[in-house]
Amino acid sequence: MEDIEDLVAVGGAPPGFRLPLTAVGVNLKKKKKQSSKLNGSVDSTKLSPSSNNIPGTQTIYVKTFGCSHNQSDSEYMAGQLSAFGYSLTDTPEEADLWLINTCTVKSPSQSAMETLITKGKAAKRPLVVAGCVPQGSRDLKELEGVSIVGVQQIDRVVEVVEETLKGHEVRLLNRKTLPALDLPKVRKNKFIEILPINVGCLGACTYCKTKHARGHLGSYMIDSLVGRVKTVIADGVKEIWLSSEDTGAYGRDIGVNLPMLLKAIVAVLPTDGSTMLRVGMTNPPYILEHLKEIAEVLSHPCVYSFLHVPVQSGSDAILTAMNREYTVGEFRTVVDTLTELVPGMQIATDIICGFPGETDEDFSKTISLIKEYKFAQVHISQFYPRPGTPAARMKKVPSNVVKNRSRELTSIFEAFTPYSGMEGKVERIWITEVATDGIHLVGHTKGYIQVLVVAPDSMLGSSAIVRITSVGRWSVFGEVIETLTQSDAQSSPIKKPSLKGETSPFDSPCGSNSCSREADSCACEGESCGQKVPEEESIASRKDVLLEERSSRYLISWVLKKRRSQVKDRVENGIGLGNVVKQDSRWKGKEWGSVDRALLGGILLSFLTVVAVLVHLGITASARA
């Protein structure tokens, strides 16, 4: 099928309004052979005029693969579909249509996409495929019989879905303008806004397939991005992630640069530190000339002191073969400068093991580099040849050697203890999500170190002062000392707890200078170099306490003892009783758990029953006398 060009006149419809279907440019199925082929991939009963084919009444399943930029695209597509009345579901069996947003970085992610498409066809579900795979490899056999929406056509997903539900195969791939930033959006996490600042990149890495899909650099204007930031802050967003294939290259196509954008965004962030900014993946070549300016922004109290800078190899020879456009020495300059100028700076990086031509000596240089810096976050990936890239034609390193190198480097990396010495420290954290264990909430320090705390869900989207109680390999554990409200943060830089023998590291409205979710995935570099929420580790560290609490939950004495203990602990730590109600939301009667209320109600009922019995016995005894 030929690609469908954008037939809409300049300006088109305003964001959030559907264009006339005559402007979609749909290629209708006219040949019987094509129609029979279509009927093999969709449920014809759902597409017949007599069935429920009213646009906007169906249920859509959205599945996303790959980087944070892809996640943002999915959120935009979901927002538009929801705005037009479509229901969204996480259960594919419940959906009338599947929307699959794909990633072409590595073979496993594309294989997972192909498997899902096969399942969708077997289940006779209409399919719409978006993302980098169809944009960069539009002739894949797996894409036959499905509709396609390109990476710059996400603002027309409603049209594609409507036509696909009618039984038409639609392909929208070619466009020269960027989608608007003010489209409706359904965030996966309502507290986190993933903001794409540009698409494509300036690099030409020999192994990268994403450049084929996302294309050359295209940047959004600073005013548009600042306007979006203001909007999402008003919506209650607490973290803004700047995302792209390479944030460092931002603006070079429109005469501006990354520091200019960062300073403009920082200027509109709330001064109370309630909303934090996280800068996304940045390749070394494009920030070398701006290191001091970037360090200044990363030191700002409302910006996480964290940056994802991929190195990929510790060997200059391999970097040259990759066409990475920098040397190991230049990467060191980036890391050393930011570490020196930014207090508590945390840097994540990526490594590709077994790139074509990598010798034992090359690999040993990579090991030395990782051992020297002991990065807390390293995403280690085996080389995957991507079709159509120069590296795919290079002589490969034997697969068993690649696997062994990957295991060796992983073993070295996992032996690091990056958070040792944090026990007892007091940090400000920003809490935005629930851990995978379902027990802890996830917060991050100024350096984006992941902190797991046991706290009520009502603390999501808030900032708190915590004391670090223990450390693990991937994260640290903390206990909440105080929850900060906006009025708290505005009235004073940080409410310093009265802790004997400790000094607070806070000297700004946004907290400590001391990393999770995931570091920004680099579409060109791998999937994600972020930390995991270690389910086994977090459960093990709290298992005994949680079991004890759950087994004692139904004992009245435990309830009273726990309340007295909480008051005692806070008084001993120098925190007045008057602050306890403020710090612990469980002291608010309206937020007590149902079990607590039932137990206290039972106590009151038992007391009244005893009183009634005693009164009755007294009256009876008097009558007999």
Side-chain angles (χ1 to χ4, degrees):
M1 172 181 290
E2 295 295 327
D3 297 332
I4 298 172
E5 302 297 336
D6 196 341
L7 303 181
V8 184
V10 176
F17 289 88
R18 179 165 44 214
L19 294 164
L21 295 183
T22 54
V24 177
V26 179
N27 282 358
L28 303 179
K29 302 285 187 179
K30 294 182 179 180
K31 297 181 180 180
K32 292 183 179 181
K33 182 177 180 181
Q34 289 177 313
S35 297
S36 63
K37 178 181 177 182
L38 178 66
N39 290 336
S41 60
V42 297
D43 189 341
S44 59
T45 61
K46 290 185 178 181
L47 301 180
S48 64
S50 61
S51 65
N52 180 22
N53 200 28
I54 302 174
T57 60
Q58 294 84 1
T59 300
I60 311 296
Y61 167 65
V62 181
K63 174 64 176 178
T64 306
F65 295 94
C67 66
S68 61
H69 197 162
N70 259 22
Q71 181 61 50
S72 178
D73 286 351
S74 289
E75 292 176 354
Y76 272 126
M77 289 188 286
Q80 295 170 84
L81 292 168
S82 180
F84 286 121
Y86 289 100
S87 299
L88 304 174
T89 181
D90 293 327
T91 307
E93 292 76 17
E94 297 176 353
D96 300 295
L97 177 142
W98 293 4
L99 172 59
I100 306 171
N101 197 1
T102 63
C103 172
T104 189
V105 171
K106 297 197 297 186
S107 299
S109 58
Q110 184 164 329
S111 296
M113 172 216 74
E114 294 169 355
T115 299
L116 188 59
I117 290 176
T118 300
K119 289 181 178 179
K121 290 180 177 179
K124 298 185 178 180
R125 292 293 195 278
L127 300 173
V128 175
V129 179
C132 294
V133 171
Q135 190 75 58
S137 305
R138 58 188 68 182
D139 296 326
L140 279 179
K141 181 179 180 181
E142 289 77 14
L143 298 178
E144 294 179 2
V146 304
S147 292
I148 291 173
V149 55
V151 294
Q152 292 189 31
Q153 297 278 17
I154 59 173
D155 54 349
R156 301 185 63 186
V157 66
V158 173
E159 304 163 58
V160 176
V161 165
E162 286 184 356
E163 294 302 319
T164 303
L165 285 168
K166 292 177 183 178
H168 304 146
E169 182 182 337
V170 183
R171 292 196 172 198
L172 291 177
L173 286 169
N174 297 331
R175 193 177 190 178
K176 296 181 180 180
T177 58
L178 300 177
L181 291 171
D182 58 352
L183 296 169
K185 197 171 192 180
V186 174
R187 300 183 189 90
K188 184 177 181 181
N189 185 325
K190 67 178 182 178
F191 299 113
I192 298 176
E193 166 74 5
I194 304 172
L195 180 59
I197 62 174
N198 57 264
V199 299
C201 66
L202 294 174
C205 301
T206 56
Y207 57 84
C208 181
K209 184 72 173 177
T210 306
K211 181 68 176 281
H212 297 185
R214 294 282 183 179
H216 197 67
L217 181 67
S219 303
Y220 285 97
M221 302 299 292
I222 290 180
D223 289 346
S224 297
L225 292 166
V226 171
R228 180 65 183 177
V229 168
K230 292 179 180 178
T231 298
V232 301
I233 290 174
D235 288 343
V237 163
K238 301 303 179 183
E239 280 188 11
I240 299 173
W241 297 1
L242 301 187
S243 178
S244 78
E245 284 63 58
D246 184 358
T247 58
Y250 169 78
R252 289 174 177 257
D253 57 322
I254 57 175
V256 294
N257 56 46
L258 181 61
M260 294 171 64
L261 171 65
L262 295 179
K263 291 176 182 178
I265 292 177
V266 165
V268 300
L269 293 177
T271 56
D272 63 1
S274 57
T275 300
M276 295 292 287
L277 180 69
R278 196 190 82 175
V279 183
M281 190 281 297
T282 304
N283 283 315
Y286 306 112
I287 61 171
L288 279 166
E289 63 188 276
H290 302 302
L291 282 179
K292 290 185 178 180
E293 292 176 280
I294 291 176
E296 181 181 353
V297 174
L298 294 175
S299 299
H300 190 280
C302 296
V303 181
Y304 285 120
S305 304
F306 170 84
L307 197 61
H308 174 193
V309 186
V311 63
Q312 302 302 3
S313 175
S315 166
D316 283 339
I318 296 303
L319 292 179
T320 299
M322 292 178 172
N323 197 28
R324 290 290 289 166
E325 300 180 339
Y326 60 87
T327 64
V328 176
E330 289 172 329
F331 171 79
R332 288 177 181 274
T333 298
V334 172
V335 175
D336 294 342
T337 302
L338 294 180
T339 302
E340 177 185 356
L341 298 179
V342 183
M345 184 69 196
Q346 295 284 325
I347 293 178
T349 194
D350 297 348
I351 295 292
I352 294 177
C353 292
F355 188 83
E358 183 184 66
T359 64
D360 289 340
E361 182 181 358
D362 293 324
F363 182 62
S364 67
K365 292 179 180 178
T366 298
I367 291 178
S368 297
L369 182 71
I370 298 303
K371 283 184 175 180
E372 177 182 349
Y373 285 98
K374 292 183 170 59
F375 299 104
Q377 299 183 45
V378 179
H379 180 260
I380 300 169
S381 173
Q382 298 176 31
F383 171 73
Y384 291 96
R386 305 302 294 132
T389 63
R393 300 187 295 271
M394 298 178 182
K395 186 177 180 180
K396 299 177 184 178
V397 176
S399 59
N400 63 316
V401 175
V402 176
K403 291 178 180 178
N404 288 336
R405 288 176 181 173
S406 176
R407 292 191 188 104
E408 181 181 354
L409 187 58
T410 299
S411 178
I412 292 171
F413 164 65
E414 292 183 347
F416 298 157
T417 55
Y419 308 127
S420 60
M422 286 191 67
E423 296 94 333
K425 286 188 175 181
V426 176
E427 300 278 353
R428 181 176 180 178
I429 65 170
W430 289 261
I431 303 173
T432 55
E433 55 194 316
V434 179
T436 55
D437 61 13
I439 299 171
H440 297 85
L441 298 185
V442 180
H444 294 95
T445 68
K446 174 73 162 61
Y448 215 69
I449 297 172
Q450 180 173 271
V451 182
L452 303 181
V453 296
V454 176
D457 289 353
S458 59
M459 286 191 66
L460 287 168
S462 69
S463 180
I465 304 298
V466 300
R467 181 191 292 108
I468 306 303
T469 57
S470 62
V471 301
R473 173 59 186 86
W474 308 105
S475 56
V476 302
F477 297 89
E479 61 178 0
V480 176
I481 298 174
E482 181 179 4
T483 301
L484 296 177
T485 63
Q486 289 191 12
S487 59
D488 292 334
Q490 288 175 340
S491 61
S492 62
I494 285 290
K495 290 201 169 183
K496 179 178 177 179
S498 302
L499 299 174
K500 186 177 181 180
E502 292 184 359
T503 57
S504 175
F506 311 118
D507 57 2
S508 66
C510 284
S512 75
N513 292 319
S514 331
C515 205
S516 110
R517 227 168 115 82
E518 25 180 70
D520 201 298
S521 177
C522 91
C524 291
E525 315 302 340
E527 291 177 343
S528 167
C529 69
Q531 296 174 337
K532 299 178 282 187
V533 177
E535 184 172 358
E536 294 180 0
E537 177 183 298
S538 58
I539 291 177
S541 67
R542 298 297 191 208
K543 185 176 180 181
D544 294 339
V545 175
L546 292 170
L547 289 176
E548 180 181 353
E549 288 184 357
R550 289 172 179 171
S551 64
S552 305
R553 187 176 291 274
Y554 298 98
L555 300 176
I556 295 175
S557 61
W558 175 82
V559 175
L560 300 177
K561 179 180 178 181
K562 185 173 181 65
R563 295 294 185 249
R564 289 195 299 268
S565 176
Q566 289 173 337
V567 175
K568 182 180 179 181
D569 287 345
R570 284 161 176 74
V571 173
E572 288 178 350
N573 286 326
I575 302 174
L577 182 59
N579 287 334
V580 173
V581 176
K582 177 181 177 183
Q583 294 162 15
D584 192 342
S585 62
R586 291 173 295 179
W587 280 92
K588 299 177 182 179
K590 65 180 180 180
E591 295 185 9
W592 279 36
S594 58
V595 175
D596 288 344
R597 290 195 294 269
L599 289 172
L600 294 176
I603 293 172
L604 180 60
L605 181 60
S606 299
F607 176 78
L608 294 176
T609 301
V610 171
V611 171
V613 170
L614 292 175
V615 171
H616 176 73
L617 291 176
I619 294 173
T620 302
S622 298
R624 289 178 179 175

